[in-house]
Amino acid sequence: MTRDVNYDDGLYVGYDDGQSLPPGTTEQLLAEFTSRAPAHRPLTALDLGAGTGRFSPGLADRFGGTVYAVEPSAQMRALALARRPHPRVHYLAGSAECLPLPGNACDVVLLFLVYHHVADRAGAFAEIARVLRPGGRVLLCGNFSGRPSPRAWSPYFPRAHEIEETGLPTVEETEKAALRAGLGLVSLSTLTLEIAPNLTAYLDRIRHRAVSAFRHLTEVELANGLNQLAAAAASEPSAPVTSAVDLVVLARRE
């Protein structure tokens, strides 16, 4: 499923702390996902690339149905099950290209900061279309090449930003790949998210190095970036740190 990222190879350590979001931001995202899902309840959802399950229980509570949290990393699944158990969430091994679900099993498929990691995007869309029920929705939330959504860490780790950009698909490429699988574009929007209350709190998160592109940096580059971020945190007034993500909504074409 992933392009040059193995979350079992140490990246899972500190992932929750390094990628944590303020509670209000998590609720903002869940509200956005809910508003774009089918209106009827209950809904069955697939949280694809669920990681440590940070959205899975919230999806179950909002949609009132079963959530299949599919994640290829055994270590991430173990953390999810230990930290976020829920009676209607099933943490399953699998990948975007090989989903452990029958056809027409889900009303909603969520990929949060996942799609750019998928190696076989055509295969993934074919699998997503297979498990999606008529009238269902696919929510691709992440970053796309050519879109004005720089990560908050980008100024401090410019080579990591360049590395990440080279692996990002464009919205146009994504739409074409989805159409070949019978999934049509419904909407595209940009969400501005508060990811930390201030730069000091953000620095504490970044120190966990839970960004996949950081794996390609040298220790000198990482140290320089952390030092620059620490200097900015010490000198700038306390203000929320924000970042932007795009939300692409797809529907199964009849």
Side-chain angles (χ1 to χ4, degrees):
M1 174 173 172
T2 55
R3 294 171 178 256
D4 301 321
V5 180
N6 181 0
Y7 281 88
D8 283 334
D9 186 21
L11 196 54
Y12 70 93
V13 178
Y15 182 86
D16 256 9
D17 292 329
Q19 290 287 346
S20 64
L21 294 170
T25 302
T26 299
E27 286 301 309
Q28 175 191 352
L29 284 164
L30 287 169
E32 294 283 357
F33 303 153
T34 302
S35 70
R36 290 163 174 82
H40 68 274
R41 297 292 183 271
L43 298 176
T44 300
L46 166 59
D47 188 0
L48 181 51
T52 57
R54 57 179 164 175
F55 293 112
S56 305
L59 294 174
D61 290 340
R62 284 179 173 263
F63 294 153
T66 299
V67 172
Y68 299 107
V70 173
E71 168 57 45
S73 166
Q75 296 285 3
M76 299 281 265
R77 291 196 310 274
L79 286 173
L81 187 59
R83 297 179 181 180
R84 298 181 178 94
H86 190 285
R88 292 197 308 278
V89 175
H90 303 282
Y91 294 104
L92 304 174
S95 68
E97 302 91 342
C98 187
L99 295 171
L101 300 175
N104 295 329
C106 301
D107 302 290
V108 180
V109 179
L110 170 67
L111 293 88
F112 182 79
L113 303 185
V114 169
Y115 179 63
H116 65 287
H117 286 312
V118 175
D120 179 6
R121 290 168 182 155
F125 275 130
E127 274 290 86
I128 290 169
R130 179 182 67 81
V131 304
L132 190 66
R133 291 172 181 154
R137 292 291 184 269
V138 181
L139 312 178
L140 297 181
C141 193
N143 300 108
F144 294 86
S145 180
R147 300 278 297 176
S149 54
R151 272 58 78 202
W153 48 259
S154 296
Y156 311 102
F157 305 93
R159 197 165 75 85
H161 179 78
E162 293 172 6
I163 291 168
E164 187 173 85
E165 280 290 316
T166 61
L168 292 178
T170 66
V171 171
E172 292 74 20
E173 291 168 344
T174 302
E175 184 179 1
K176 287 179 181 178
L179 276 172
R180 286 193 288 270
L183 300 169
L185 180 67
V186 174
S187 65
L188 167 64
S189 54
T190 300
L191 310 179
T192 300
L193 309 175
E194 180 181 323
I195 57 174
N198 51 55
L199 277 177
T200 299
Y202 187 62
L203 173 62
D204 289 340
R205 279 182 46 192
I206 292 298
R207 283 192 171 120
H208 290 283
R209 305 185 183 187
V211 176
S212 58
F214 287 5
R215 306 278 283 183
H216 301 281
L217 301 185
T218 67
E219 285 297 322
V220 171
E221 288 174 312
L222 286 166
N224 287 341
L226 288 170
N227 288 338
Q228 291 175 37
L229 181 52
S235 62
E236 293 185 9
S238 180
V241 179
T242 62
S243 188
V245 293
D246 291 314
L247 179 56
V248 173
V249 181
L250 305 167
R252 180 171 148 179
R253 303 177 72 192
E254 300 305 322

